[in-house]
Amino acid sequence: AVFPALDDSDCCRFLLRVTVPEGLPSPIRDLLLAVEPSFAQGEGKNFSHMVAPSLADTPPAPITFISSPSTASVIGSGSELAAPNRDAIDDMIPDYSVASYVGDAGAEQFKVVGRLMLDWFKTYCDLKPEESILEVGCGIGRIAIPLTQYLTTGRYEGFDIVRHGIEWCQQKVKPRYPNFNFFLADVYNKHYQPDGKQAASGYIFPFGDGTFDFVFLTSVFTHMMPTDVEHYTAEIGRVLKPGGRCFCTIYSISEEAR
């Protein structure tokens, strides 16, 4: 649909409603929405966004949800967007006054990213609910929180150098899920922990050799110097069990990336 002219508008907001095609798996998972708005003056900029689940595990029929621009229609200004249904992890989701350092995008995006990472762990790393997990740089629980719904008989350890993130997880997550543990690493960082006592290049993870089935870290190496990364990589290898797996995010600088 082509919306009428929006002269002198810096931005606008729409609610897109479509009918979900038959045959989609249930429960409906997170979706990637890509929209290129079309106005009387021409086409707008392409917009991509991960859409959080907003339906029950067994949705009634007929149902509506955000989908592709080819089937979407504009039905309002966005002011009538319904509040998302609460789920099991909502009481653990932090307010963005304390969580903006892990991505300032709001509570729904916080949940979407965490659940997306969990799906990747299961798909690409064969993560099992009974395994032992270490998260290096757990932040304020963006991935640990959705993991609570999957790691039923396993064990989770997470550490970080941002104190208030650890305190949030200790207060909001651990009392509900005692198999989840969070602690502050006493590592110096000019921006995140200027009173830290140890250099990252000398920090020994407080676990024995071969403790974990799975270690993961997201947006950690991107904040570290090469010597620190080398040391953390060695520590990850030390605490992993034989055949254990590691998932990490990095900047890949190559000719293709350039």
Side-chain angles (χ1 to χ4, degrees), residues 3-257:
F3 199 83
L6 295 172
D7 296 333
D8 302 319
S9 295
D10 294 327
C11 61
C12 58
R13 190 179 183 201
F14 301 98
L15 176 66
L16 306 178
R17 188 184 301 277
V18 299
T19 300
V20 176
E22 293 183 3
L24 280 183
S26 180
I28 293 174
R29 304 300 302 163
D30 309 331
L31 300 177
L32 176 63
L33 170 71
V35 175
E36 186 174 272
S38 179
F39 304 99
Q41 301 97 322
E43 294 181 346
K45 294 181 179 179
N46 184 274
F47 170 77
S48 298
H49 185 69
M50 287 298 301
V51 181
S54 60
L55 302 172
D57 282 354
T58 307
I63 55 179
T64 60
F65 201 68
I66 294 176
S67 184
S68 66
S70 60
T71 57
S73 59
V74 177
I75 66 168
S77 65
S79 60
E80 62 273 16
L81 280 167
N85 295 330
R86 291 182 61 78
D87 60 34
I89 68 174
D90 279 350
D91 289 337
M92 297 181 283
I93 301 299
D95 183 90
Y96 260 70
S97 63
V98 296
S100 60
Y101 71 99
V102 297
D104 192 6
E108 285 304 310
Q109 189 74 352
F110 187 96
K111 292 194 291 184
V112 167
V113 171
R115 284 169 166 156
L116 177 64
M117 297 305 296
L118 174 56
D119 282 344
W120 285 357
F121 297 163
K122 292 188 288 185
T123 301
Y124 301 114
C125 305
D126 196 28
L127 183 64
K128 297 293 192 297
E130 67 275 9
E131 291 190 306
S132 56
I133 298 174
L134 171 64
E135 181 176 8
V136 178
C138 59
I140 199 164
R142 182 165 59 173
I143 303 176
I145 289 171
L147 264 172
T148 60
Q149 307 305 297
Y150 182 72
L151 198 66
T152 52
T153 58
R155 165 197 176 198
Y156 169 97
E157 296 280 345
F159 70 83
D160 205 284
I161 63 173
V162 179
R163 183 179 299 275
H164 73 265
I166 292 296
E167 290 174 347
W168 175 273
C169 293
Q170 289 173 339
Q171 295 168 9
K172 299 294 185 178
V173 182
K174 185 171 177 58
R176 294 177 170 90
Y177 300 93
N179 58 328
F180 279 68
N181 186 51
F182 305 88
F183 64 94
L184 184 72
D186 190 16
V187 174
Y188 170 80
N189 183 282
K190 179 180 179 181
H191 300 287
Y192 297 109
Q193 190 168 219
D195 58 346
K197 301 298 190 297
Q198 293 183 261
S201 59
Y203 180 68
I204 304 299
F205 295 1
F207 305 103
D209 297 358
T211 299
F212 298 99
D213 300 291
F214 181 57
V215 178
F216 71 92
L217 54 166
T218 60
S219 192
V220 173
F221 285 163
T222 52
H223 296 271
M224 298 174 69
M225 301 302 291
T227 54
D228 301 334
V229 172
E230 290 176 6
H231 175 71
Y232 268 45
T233 301
E235 281 296 284
I236 290 168
R238 180 183 66 80
V239 301
L240 274 174
K241 296 177 180 179
R245 296 91 69 207
C246 177
F247 179 103
C248 70
T249 59
I250 60 171
Y251 282 131
S252 177
I253 300 177
S254 64
E255 289 304 317
E256 182 180 359

